[in-house]
Amino acid sequence: MLNLSEKKNGGEENMKIKNFIFICLLIGLVVGLRVLPVQAATPAQISTAIDKGLKWLAGEQAVDGHIPGLWGDGTADATTGLVVLKFLDRAKELKKDPFQTDNTKTDYYEYATVVTKGFEYIFNNLDILSSNRVTSNDWYPVYSTGIVMMAVATAPDPNKVITNGALNGWTYKQAAQGMMDWFASVQETNGAWLYSGAGNDNSSSGYATLGVGFASSLNGFGLTIPGSIYSNLDSFIDTIRETSGTHKGASVYRFTWRAWPNIYKTGNLLYEMALVGDTLSTQRVKDAIAYIEAKWDSSAAGTHADGGGWKDYQAMFGMMKGLEAFKIEELKIGAGGALEPWFEEVSTYIVNNQVDVGSDKGYWNNEYGTHLGTAWALITLERAVEKVEFGIPGQCRKSGDIFASFDADDSVVFGLAPFTWTWAGNTDLTVTKDANNVFVITYPSGWTGSESIIFTVTDSNGKVSDDEATFTVHPVI
């Protein structure tokens, strides 16, 4: 029979264990709340949505390679260009050759036929020699050419030869240069690219700037942007933006019709600012970012409303490209103006609003139809500057117990291996790592306390991220 003294000692020991477990759980809860936002779309959900969207888009391609435009064949060039851009981005991320159709090759890409047929359609309509633009519809030349220029400049080989259409025998780089020259020749001296010959429009100008930027040294074939584009665009930025009032920092639609200041056009504005060399310390950049933060929860319709928010697929695409240009990962959109990762909310919205077609396909719809809506959503969901993401859990041990070793590579949820790891912040704890990125954390004999270690990872694309994990040794009381 257990005597009273034994019962007392046993009860004290149980209480110590319970207290120790509670402390460790509390530490884990605090860390967990910081790392894992409530209800955010998981990497698996994002991946599934992307796969379903790509499969749906591939099935929508016509025999001649085009993707239907919203207003008929006059806009099919732009729609096809945007869809091809999406499939090129996907191949780039997977380290595949977007034109490789041989499934016995290691760089085989399952959507290579979509890319090949799409470019065949584009080049059958691209005639720089005569009209210097893509579309046969006089209403949308700037839109179409800008989007197609983005796709052409994203192709992995600038020296790839075009084998059809008026540019048969040209290289992709030469085609991009032809479009660059055309944009320089048709830009107004006030910096705008016109919408059907009239109206200093920062929707059409936004797509022109994207095309020029994609082909330049920023992230394309390294083409030189003519000086006139820089100087005219810099002037355009100051004229098209609001400098005071409710919409301070935003871009309006046109000089003479200062309507529709919203997040979409302000995203275009940010990309234009980055192209002319503005930095995060430039006041007009600060104003534009502050405007996006102020209108983040706007319920107004996206692209055609004063104060329109980002919950429109073209709006979030434009916003994403602007934020991407300045490598902005967080905005003051949390409670009390706290910094939070904007992509988590955007990606969650996209995932939750996909329209399923059966069990393996899905699309997104907006005022411009399902094809454009899906392309914009997918490009945003799989954004080009997605940084490597990981989460190493903290550990809590009683004095005398050892921390579990862990393979840091297993903690990465976004990023491309191989990974390079560094760390900082430990004082008493000793951190060692082997050639396989397996970490061992140890502490001096008799030591108790808690230290937070900042782990930093760099993936093979050069993307960098850091995260903090807390390691605690609790005294045996």
Side-chain angles (χ1 to χ4, degrees):
M1 177 180 289
L2 190 68
N3 63 33
L4 183 61
S5 175
E6 288 172 329
K7 287 182 180 180
K8 180 181 179 182
N9 292 336
E12 289 177 350
E13 182 62 27
N14 287 337
M15 183 59 69
K16 292 175 185 177
I17 294 172
K18 289 178 181 179
N19 288 339
F20 170 72
I21 293 173
F22 172 76
I23 292 170
C24 288
L25 287 174
L26 183 61
I27 292 171
L29 178 62
V30 171
V31 174
L33 286 173
R34 181 182 59 80
V35 174
L36 300 174
V38 177
Q39 297 180 338
T42 66
Q45 289 172 323
I46 293 174
S47 179
T48 297
I50 291 171
D51 289 340
K52 291 166 68 174
L54 291 172
K55 191 168 185 179
W56 181 83
L57 270 182
E60 293 295 298
Q61 190 174 42
V63 174
D64 67 352
H66 87 275
I67 304 293
L70 178 61
W71 295 294
D73 289 344
T75 55
D77 300 306
T79 308
T80 303
L82 202 64
V83 169
V84 168
L85 174 63
K86 171 64 247 170
F87 283 103
L88 286 168
D89 278 347
R90 180 65 167 174
K92 191 173 184 178
E93 181 193 354
L94 298 176
K95 298 286 189 182
K96 302 294 184 181
D97 179 353
F99 299 98
Q100 181 58 266
T101 58
D102 185 347
N103 62 10
T104 66
K105 303 292 187 181
T106 57
D107 60 352
Y108 164 72
Y109 182 46
E110 62 176 315
Y111 294 116
T113 300
V114 175
V115 174
T116 301
K117 290 172 61 179
F119 270 127
E120 286 176 356
Y121 177 82
I122 287 170
F123 290 128
N124 276 332
N125 290 274
L126 178 59
D127 188 2
I128 297 172
L129 298 175
S130 58
S131 64
N132 280 7
R133 56 185 169 81
V134 177
T135 180
S136 58
N137 187 319
D138 289 337
W139 198 253
Y140 307 106
V142 170
Y143 284 97
S144 297
T145 306
I147 291 172
V148 166
M149 192 175 181
M150 292 164 67
V152 170
T154 302
D157 182 6
N159 296 315
K160 183 176 177 62
V161 177
I162 300 166
T163 58
N164 65 290
L167 302 187
N168 187 7
W170 286 39
T171 66
Y172 276 51
K173 185 173 183 178
Q174 288 172 326
Q177 184 64 61
M179 287 183 274
M180 179 77 80
D181 295 341
W182 180 74
F183 274 124
S185 70
V186 300
Q187 186 186 27
E188 298 292 299
T189 54
N190 59 25
W193 283 276
L194 304 185
Y195 182 72
S196 186
N200 313 303
D201 174 346
N202 201 23
S203 182
S204 59
S205 295
Y207 281 104
T209 307
L210 283 167
V212 168
F214 267 56
S216 75
S217 58
L218 289 180
N219 58 342
F221 291 164
L223 300 185
T224 299
I225 299 176
S228 61
I229 288 183
Y230 280 125
S231 58
N232 291 338
L233 187 59
D234 191 60
S235 174
F236 172 77
I237 291 168
D238 274 337
T239 310
I240 203 72
R241 70 188 183 96
E242 294 284 52
T243 57
S244 62
T246 304
H247 301 288
K248 179 181 178 181
S251 168
V252 296
Y253 185 52
R254 293 178 179 173
F255 294 165
T256 54
W257 181 33
R258 302 189 73 81
W260 302 339
N262 50 47
I263 283 182
Y264 163 54
K265 293 172 187 64
T266 306
N268 288 348
L269 189 69
L270 276 174
Y271 190 90
E272 291 156 359
M273 290 173 179
L275 195 69
V276 300
D278 285 6
T279 68
L280 287 171
S281 63
T282 305
Q283 188 59 50
R284 61 187 185 182
V285 174
K286 293 179 180 179
D287 290 343
I289 295 169
Y291 178 80
I292 291 175
E293 292 170 336
K295 300 299 180 184
W296 187 258
D297 293 322
S298 172
S299 59
T303 62
H304 296 108
D306 289 357
W310 57 268
K311 292 180 180 177
D312 168 276
Y313 299 117
Q314 182 176 209
M316 64 180 69
F317 165 77
M319 177 188 74
M320 178 271 291
K321 283 301 179 186
L323 296 175
E324 173 186 88
F326 284 100
K327 294 181 169 48
I328 297 171
E329 297 288 347
E330 294 182 316
L331 293 171
K332 294 178 181 178
I333 54 176
L339 282 170
E340 287 190 359
W342 61 266
F343 183 69
E344 288 186 358
E345 188 170 346
V346 172
S347 61
T348 300
Y349 178 88
I350 296 173
V351 168
N352 289 342
N353 285 277
Q354 188 175 37
V355 180
D356 289 336
V357 181
S359 61
D360 62 345
K361 297 179 183 178
Y363 64 85
W364 289 269
N365 193 19
N366 74 346
E367 62 178 314
Y368 295 101
T370 54
H371 300 104
L372 283 171
T374 300
W376 282 320
L378 284 172
I379 292 172
T380 304
L381 198 58
E382 203 168 13
R383 62 195 175 114
V385 297
E386 178 70 75
K387 70 176 181 180
V388 58
E389 294 183 9
F390 70 100
I392 293 175
Q395 297 185 42
C396 193
R397 295 290 185 270
K398 289 188 300 181
S399 180
D401 293 345
I402 63 173
F403 292 116
S405 61
F406 56 92
D407 187 334
D409 289 357
D410 289 344
S411 70
V412 178
V413 293
F414 283 119
L416 192 65
F419 303 107
T420 302
W421 293 89
T422 59
W423 61 92
N426 56 304
T427 301
D428 295 321
L429 297 180
T430 299
V431 182
T432 58
K433 179 185 73 68
D434 68 13
N436 296 316
N437 293 330
V438 174
F439 279 80
V440 175
I441 312 293
T442 58
Y443 57 92
S445 177
W447 183 87
T448 59
S450 182
E451 286 190 357
S452 294
I453 301 173
I454 299 173
F455 294 91
T456 301
V457 62
T458 304
D459 77 353
S460 62
N461 284 327
K463 298 172 185 175
V464 180
S465 183
D466 55 57
D467 193 22
E468 188 177 78
T470 300
F471 295 82
T472 300
V473 178
H474 194 275
V476 177
I477 302 173

